[in-house]
Amino acid sequence: MAYEVEAPKYVRLAQTIQRRIEDGTYPPGSKVPSENQLVQAFGMSRPTVVRALDLLKRDGWLESRQGYGTIVRGRPAGVEQKDRRGREALERDESQTPGRLVVVDQVPVPARVASALGLPKRAKVLMRRFLVVQDGEPVELVSSYFPAVLVDGTELGSVDPLSGGTRAHLEARKKVRFDHVTERVSARLPGAGEAELLELPDGVPVLSVLVVACDASGQALQVSDVLLPADRQELEDTYRLN
């Protein structure tokens, strides 16, 4: 039995406002509705609304102007770069990507993946693990996990490289719709098998980007753990000082 996990209310409200910015409902330079208006429109408490707006301000979508209110800044510079790992995990065509499919198997769900998918700790999920290679050097190890309910009737369990990406495959076969992605970045030492695949010397850490892809309700459809050798990464971000 799967247990559904829903994103916090303030996150869902922030995602709704973000989508309205991107589709032009709230164009750059315009004022977003007041806190009172958002409370009434969405039936959420004022603290929830304030937290959602603070999240969007922190990430650069909105800014406060004294005496004028909260203004739409538009899509922040750098968002495309931040979203790249998640988008690639969903849309990578294994048959056209340099590298190899390492393993396809039913495995016990890792703890943080279980939490994201809303599964009990002892559940099994399908894992597809793909090693991305550039110029003869391994640069990413991508382990993607899928709940059993989404695997039946698909080719996710095939040991052959998947064409077109998992997102397109699932949307076509299972009639689900991917809506948004959350990325959680952390650093850790790789396991022995991970270090061997990534050709890492002892003691070299990896960056782990946990990509949680959800439908509009917040239900996770796919979780991918993207491992990047820390000694081969250069990350850059730009942000405003208010």
Side-chain angles (χ1 to χ4, degrees):
M1 176 179 178
Y3 299 89
E4 292 191 359
V5 189
E6 195 168 43
K9 287 183 179 180
Y10 79 93
V11 173
R12 284 182 279 136
L13 177 56
Q15 290 165 345
T16 298
I17 296 173
Q18 178 182 315
R19 286 194 290 270
R20 292 186 181 186
I21 293 171
E22 293 189 302
D23 69 17
T25 303
Y26 303 150
S30 66
K31 291 177 62 176
V32 296
S34 68
E35 291 177 8
N36 285 336
Q37 289 171 326
L38 290 172
V39 166
Q40 294 174 6
F42 292 96
M44 295 184 178
S45 67
R46 184 177 297 276
T48 297
V49 169
V50 169
R51 197 171 180 186
L53 294 176
D54 285 345
L55 179 62
L56 291 167
K57 291 172 188 175
R58 185 201 69 185
D59 289 347
W61 293 87
L62 304 174
E63 67 175 318
S64 294
R65 292 185 186 173
Q66 190 170 3
Y68 193 69
T70 302
I71 307 302
V72 176
R73 292 180 58 194
R75 189 173 179 83
V79 167
E80 291 292 346
Q81 177 66 21
K82 289 180 181 179
D83 289 348
R84 183 169 66 87
R85 300 295 180 190
R87 188 175 297 277
E88 285 181 349
L90 298 178
E91 300 180 357
R92 175 176 285 116
D93 187 329
E94 294 173 348
S95 65
Q96 300 297 320
T97 300
R100 62 188 174 92
L101 192 59
V102 178
V103 65
V104 180
D105 198 7
Q106 294 282 341
V107 299
V109 60
R112 64 178 185 158
V113 175
S115 176
L117 287 174
L119 295 174
K121 292 181 179 179
R122 296 179 183 177
K124 285 201 169 184
V125 291
L126 179 75
M127 179 185 73
R128 294 184 68 87
R129 176 168 286 173
F130 192 89
L131 183 68
V132 182
V133 177
Q134 289 182 358
D135 300 322
E137 183 179 54
V139 293
E140 287 185 31
L141 181 62
V142 185
S143 302
S144 295
Y145 302 89
F146 307 88
V149 69
L150 287 184
V151 175
D152 293 340
T154 74
E155 296 178 12
L156 293 177
S158 171
V159 296
D160 296 323
L162 190 67
S163 299
T166 55
R167 174 184 178 180
H169 188 74
L170 281 171
E171 289 187 340
R173 295 294 183 90
K174 303 300 289 189
K175 307 304 178 185
V176 295
R177 183 170 179 80
F178 287 75
D179 180 77
H180 59 274
V181 168
T182 299
E183 296 184 9
R184 306 168 189 167
V185 182
S186 59
R188 63 174 174 84
L189 289 174
E194 296 167 342
E196 181 179 357
L197 287 167
L198 289 168
E199 299 178 7
L200 292 175
D202 290 343
V204 175
V206 291
L207 294 179
S208 169
V209 183
L210 191 71
V211 178
V212 183
C214 302
D215 62 17
S217 74
Q219 176 64 48
L221 303 173
Q222 171 180 336
V223 177
S224 297
D225 190 10
V226 183
L227 295 187
L228 309 166
D231 62 344
R232 302 169 204 165
Q233 303 302 313
E234 182 175 337
L235 303 180
E236 180 177 333
D237 195 9
T238 301
Y239 57 92
R240 288 173 60 93
L241 296 174
N242 294 322

